[in-house]
Amino acid sequence: MTKTLFICSMKRIALFASGSGSNAEKIAQYFADDADVEISLVLSNNPKAGVIERMRQLHIPVLLFDRQTFYETERITNILQKQSIDLIVLAGFMWLMPGGLVRAFPDKIINIHPALLPKFGGKGMYGHFVHEAVVANGETESGITIHYVNERYDEGAPIFQATCILSPTDTPDDVARKVQQLEHEHYPRVVASVLQP
Ligand code: GAR
């Protein structure tokens, strides 16, 4: 019997998001017309996350999971492997990635952090807490760090950083706005460059 070999160059991305999902949306829109890249699914631990509605509008499937499934079973890893996911992109995902998942996707998980790591990283440093700490510390600049993910919070190898200047009167909300602008501008492009080096 003759065998047919089908070579597929399509790259498949899985996004993880816990919150509003503005970064997930920017990434999905960036690749919407790219025949070689598919956002295969979005995974979330938060049934109230804004990302769910954003993805519904873009016709991207969302998978919700709980803490026990994530940390005590292999189900999420199995789903990602079955779907032949090439890159896992954390876009506002607040849980630590379990060791089994990190080991199953070596150098294939990336995260965005809303500060200039190694400053203002680690457990408890996420979302608005980061911007509050930056202002409390009197920083003159902040920014974004896109990095590979390992089993520790915010410690994987950095891929990209961008900086914004802060003024002494900036509130945490002001910092959040400046940082979000950088995130939306750079994250989709950096995802593309990691996908196709
Ligand atoms: C983003 O600012 C992202 O950098 C941050 O959560 C926000 C999610 O916004 N991630 C972390 O703090 C991870 N430690 P979004 O839901 O609008 O994309």
Side-chain angles (χ1 to χ4, degrees):
M1 206 211 300
T2 330
K3 278 188 181 163
T4 308
L5 193 62
F6 178 58
I7 299 174
C8 177
S9 62
M10 161 87 77
K11 299 277 187 180
R12 298 164 69 86
I13 295 175
L15 290 162
F16 278 70
S18 304
S20 140
S22 72
N23 280 285
E25 185 175 64
K26 289 284 174 200
I27 291 166
Q29 287 167 344
Y30 182 90
F31 291 110
D33 297 325
D34 189 332
D36 293 329
V37 179
E38 175 188 88
I39 309 297
S40 302
L41 81 164
V42 172
L43 299 100
S44 183
N45 59 299
N46 180 6
K48 297 190 176 141
V51 71
I52 297 169
E53 175 57 20
R54 289 188 201 258
M55 293 305 115
R56 197 185 63 76
Q57 298 207 7
L58 294 168
H59 309 290
I60 295 172
V62 175
L63 177 71
L64 287 170
F65 57 86
D66 60 16
R67 184 172 283 277
Q68 200 226 341
T69 305
F70 196 48
Y71 288 110
E72 293 173 30
T73 77
E74 303 292 311
R75 286 181 63 193
I76 300 299
T77 301
N78 292 343
I79 289 166
L80 295 167
Q81 285 176 327
K82 229 179 195 162
Q83 296 215 7
S84 305
I85 295 300
D86 294 291
L87 185 67
I88 297 171
V89 177
L90 311 189
F93 182 64
M94 304 309 178
W95 288 359
L96 196 61
M97 295 303 263
L101 184 44
V102 173
R103 285 190 294 277
F105 288 89
D107 294 330
K108 287 183 177 170
I109 312 178
I110 67 171
N111 179 46
I112 190 161
H113 186 77
L116 296 169
L117 291 174
K119 285 174 121 180
F120 305 104
K123 195 169 189 310
M125 273 293 165
Y126 59 87
H128 219 259
F129 295 114
V130 176
H131 308 309
E132 283 164 22
V134 164
V135 169
N137 217 43
E139 296 291 317
T140 55
E141 60 176 26
S142 190
I144 60 169
T145 305
I146 298 168
H147 62 94
Y148 287 104
V149 170
N150 62 21
E151 291 174 51
R152 287 185 300 275
Y153 280 111
D154 306 323
E155 286 187 21
I159 300 167
F160 176 85
Q161 287 190 312
T163 301
C164 55
I165 304 298
L166 304 182
S167 83
T169 56
D170 276 347
T171 64
D173 279 347
D174 296 325
V175 180
R177 262 188 297 276
K178 290 181 179 179
V179 167
Q180 191 185 57
Q181 204 175 332
L182 290 177
E183 293 186 327
H184 292 175
E185 184 185 342
H186 295 289
Y187 205 15
R189 196 179 48 72
V190 174
V191 169
S193 73
V194 171
L195 209 51
Q196 253 115 26

mmCIF file of all heavy atoms in Angstrom, residues 19-23 91-94 112-114 125-127 180 183, ligand 1:
data_model
loop_
_atom_site.group_PDB
_atom_site.id
_atom_site.type_symbol
_atom_site.label_atom_id
_atom_site.label_comp_id
_atom_site.label_asym_id
_atom_site.label_seq_id
_atom_site.Cartn_x
_atom_site.Cartn_y
_atom_site.Cartn_z
ATOM 1 N N GLY A 19 -7.291 37.004 32.665
ATOM 2 C CA GLY A 19 -7.976 38.277 32.925
ATOM 3 C C GLY A 19 -8.690 38.850 31.715
ATOM 4 O O GLY A 19 -9.360 38.134 30.956
ATOM 5 N N SER A 20 -8.523 40.139 31.545
ATOM 6 C CA SER A 20 -9.238 40.885 30.507
ATOM 7 C C SER A 20 -8.972 40.346 29.091
ATOM 8 O O SER A 20 -9.859 40.330 28.242
ATOM 9 C CB SER A 20 -8.831 42.355 30.616
ATOM 10 O OG SER A 20 -8.672 42.920 29.356
ATOM 11 N N GLY A 21 -7.733 39.936 28.852
ATOM 12 C CA GLY A 21 -7.433 39.307 27.572
ATOM 13 C C GLY A 21 -7.095 40.267 26.448
ATOM 14 O O GLY A 21 -7.157 39.894 25.279
ATOM 15 N N SER A 22 -6.684 41.499 26.798
ATOM 16 C CA SER A 22 -6.382 42.445 25.721
ATOM 17 C C SER A 22 -5.153 41.989 24.919
ATOM 18 O O SER A 22 -5.105 42.146 23.704
ATOM 19 C CB SER A 22 -6.195 43.869 26.263
ATOM 20 O OG SER A 22 -4.995 43.992 26.975
ATOM 21 N N ASN A 23 -4.177 41.390 25.603
ATOM 22 C CA ASN A 23 -2.999 40.895 24.873
ATOM 23 C C ASN A 23 -3.347 39.683 24.012
ATOM 24 O O ASN A 23 -2.891 39.582 22.867
ATOM 25 C CB ASN A 23 -1.876 40.550 25.854
ATOM 26 C CG ASN A 23 -1.125 41.778 26.314
ATOM 27 O OD1 ASN A 23 -0.320 42.342 25.573
ATOM 28 N ND2 ASN A 23 -1.405 42.228 27.523
ATOM 29 N N ALA A 91 -0.518 35.150 28.329
ATOM 30 C CA ALA A 91 -0.903 36.549 28.114
ATOM 31 C C ALA A 91 -1.791 36.976 29.287
ATOM 32 O O ALA A 91 -3.006 36.922 29.206
ATOM 33 C CB ALA A 91 -1.637 36.689 26.784
ATOM 34 N N GLY A 92 -1.113 37.328 30.399
ATOM 35 C CA GLY A 92 -1.878 37.666 31.597
ATOM 36 C C GLY A 92 -2.379 36.422 32.300
ATOM 37 O O GLY A 92 -3.505 36.390 32.790
ATOM 38 N N PHE A 93 -1.538 35.388 32.326
ATOM 39 C CA PHE A 93 -1.898 34.151 33.049
ATOM 40 C C PHE A 93 -1.163 34.177 34.381
ATOM 41 O O PHE A 93 0.057 34.347 34.427
ATOM 42 C CB PHE A 93 -1.507 32.919 32.240
ATOM 43 C CG PHE A 93 -1.900 31.630 32.908
ATOM 44 C CD1 PHE A 93 -3.248 31.325 33.113
ATOM 45 C CD2 PHE A 93 -0.943 30.730 33.344
ATOM 46 C CE1 PHE A 93 -3.619 30.142 33.736
ATOM 47 C CE2 PHE A 93 -1.311 29.541 33.963
ATOM 48 C CZ PHE A 93 -2.650 29.252 34.157
ATOM 49 N N MET A 94 -1.908 34.025 35.488
ATOM 50 C CA MET A 94 -1.334 34.332 36.795
ATOM 51 C C MET A 94 -0.884 33.116 37.610
ATOM 52 O O MET A 94 -0.352 33.270 38.691
ATOM 53 C CB MET A 94 -2.342 35.154 37.620
ATOM 54 C CG MET A 94 -2.807 36.424 36.934
ATOM 55 S SD MET A 94 -1.433 37.450 36.338
ATOM 56 C CE MET A 94 -2.320 38.791 35.550
ATOM 57 N N ILE A 112 4.673 37.278 29.134
ATOM 58 C CA ILE A 112 4.960 38.711 29.180
ATOM 59 C C ILE A 112 4.778 39.184 30.613
ATOM 60 O O ILE A 112 3.808 38.823 31.280
ATOM 61 C CB ILE A 112 4.072 39.516 28.205
ATOM 62 C CG1 ILE A 112 4.570 40.958 28.106
ATOM 63 C CG2 ILE A 112 2.595 39.457 28.579
ATOM 64 C CD1 ILE A 112 4.095 41.711 26.874
ATOM 65 N N HIS A 113 5.756 39.963 31.084
ATOM 66 C CA HIS A 113 5.683 40.513 32.442
ATOM 67 C C HIS A 113 5.677 42.041 32.338
ATOM 68 O O HIS A 113 6.476 42.608 31.595
ATOM 69 C CB HIS A 113 6.884 40.036 33.265
ATOM 70 C CG HIS A 113 6.800 40.451 34.693
ATOM 71 N ND1 HIS A 113 5.982 39.819 35.607
ATOM 72 C CD2 HIS A 113 7.386 41.465 35.360
ATOM 73 C CE1 HIS A 113 6.080 40.418 36.776
ATOM 74 N NE2 HIS A 113 6.925 41.421 36.653
ATOM 75 N N PRO A 114 4.803 42.711 33.126
ATOM 76 C CA PRO A 114 4.643 44.162 32.945
ATOM 77 C C PRO A 114 5.654 44.997 33.730
ATOM 78 O O PRO A 114 5.289 45.971 34.382
ATOM 79 C CB PRO A 114 3.212 44.395 33.458
ATOM 80 C CG PRO A 114 3.027 43.364 34.517
ATOM 81 C CD PRO A 114 3.823 42.162 34.079
ATOM 82 N N MET A 125 3.882 39.320 42.326
ATOM 83 C CA MET A 125 4.138 40.489 41.463
ATOM 84 C C MET A 125 3.448 40.272 40.115
ATOM 85 O O MET A 125 4.028 39.679 39.194
ATOM 86 C CB MET A 125 5.647 40.660 41.253
ATOM 87 C CG MET A 125 6.303 41.481 42.323
ATOM 88 S SD MET A 125 5.732 43.200 42.262
ATOM 89 C CE MET A 125 6.302 43.755 43.837
ATOM 90 N N TYR A 126 2.215 40.698 40.034
ATOM 91 C CA TYR A 126 1.509 40.581 38.760
ATOM 92 C C TYR A 126 0.517 41.724 38.645
ATOM 93 O O TYR A 126 0.118 42.334 39.645
ATOM 94 C CB TYR A 126 0.787 39.224 38.638
ATOM 95 C CG TYR A 126 -0.230 38.960 39.719
ATOM 96 C CD1 TYR A 126 -1.554 39.403 39.586
ATOM 97 C CD2 TYR A 126 0.117 38.286 40.882
ATOM 98 C CE1 TYR A 126 -2.489 39.167 40.587
ATOM 99 C CE2 TYR A 126 -0.814 38.048 41.883
ATOM 100 C CZ TYR A 126 -2.110 38.494 41.730
ATOM 101 O OH TYR A 126 -3.032 38.277 42.711
ATOM 102 N N GLY A 127 0.135 41.998 37.394
ATOM 103 C CA GLY A 127 -0.876 43.022 37.124
ATOM 104 C C GLY A 127 -0.603 44.322 37.865
ATOM 105 O O GLY A 127 0.525 44.836 37.867
ATOM 106 N N GLN A 180 0.889 48.915 29.056
ATOM 107 C CA GLN A 180 -0.024 48.175 28.175
ATOM 108 C C GLN A 180 0.186 48.552 26.704
ATOM 109 O O GLN A 180 0.101 47.717 25.810
ATOM 110 C CB GLN A 180 -1.478 48.409 28.573
ATOM 111 C CG GLN A 180 -2.411 47.453 27.842
ATOM 112 C CD GLN A 180 -3.872 47.719 28.117
ATOM 113 O OE1 GLN A 180 -4.363 48.827 27.894
ATOM 114 N NE2 GLN A 180 -4.575 46.720 28.599
ATOM 115 N N GLU A 183 3.002 46.599 25.534
ATOM 116 C CA GLU A 183 2.627 45.182 25.373
ATOM 117 C C GLU A 183 1.926 44.955 24.041
ATOM 118 O O GLU A 183 2.283 44.047 23.282
ATOM 119 C CB GLU A 183 1.714 44.749 26.525
ATOM 120 C CG GLU A 183 2.429 44.733 27.857
ATOM 121 C CD GLU A 183 1.583 44.170 28.990
ATOM 122 O OE1 GLU A 183 0.351 44.346 28.978
ATOM 123 O OE2 GLU A 183 2.159 43.572 29.890
HETATM 124 C C1 GAR B 1 -0.609 42.284 31.350
HETATM 125 O O1 GAR B 1 -0.178 43.555 31.747
HETATM 126 C C2 GAR B 1 0.483 41.267 31.606
HETATM 127 O O2 GAR B 1 1.773 41.794 31.438
HETATM 128 C C3 GAR B 1 0.229 40.923 33.044
HETATM 129 O O3 GAR B 1 -1.162 40.849 33.144
HETATM 130 C C4 GAR B 1 -1.746 41.808 32.251
HETATM 131 C C5 GAR B 1 -2.853 41.125 31.479
HETATM 132 O O4 GAR B 1 -3.573 42.055 30.719
HETATM 133 N N1 GAR B 1 0.876 39.697 33.400
HETATM 134 C C6 GAR B 1 1.445 39.479 34.592
HETATM 135 O O5 GAR B 1 1.409 40.291 35.496
HETATM 136 C C7 GAR B 1 2.111 38.110 34.745
HETATM 137 N N2 GAR B 1 2.995 38.123 35.876
HETATM 138 P P1 GAR B 1 -4.598 41.574 29.620
HETATM 139 O O6 GAR B 1 -5.500 40.527 30.267
HETATM 140 O O7 GAR B 1 -5.361 42.793 29.243
HETATM 141 O O8 GAR B 1 -3.816 40.996 28.475
#
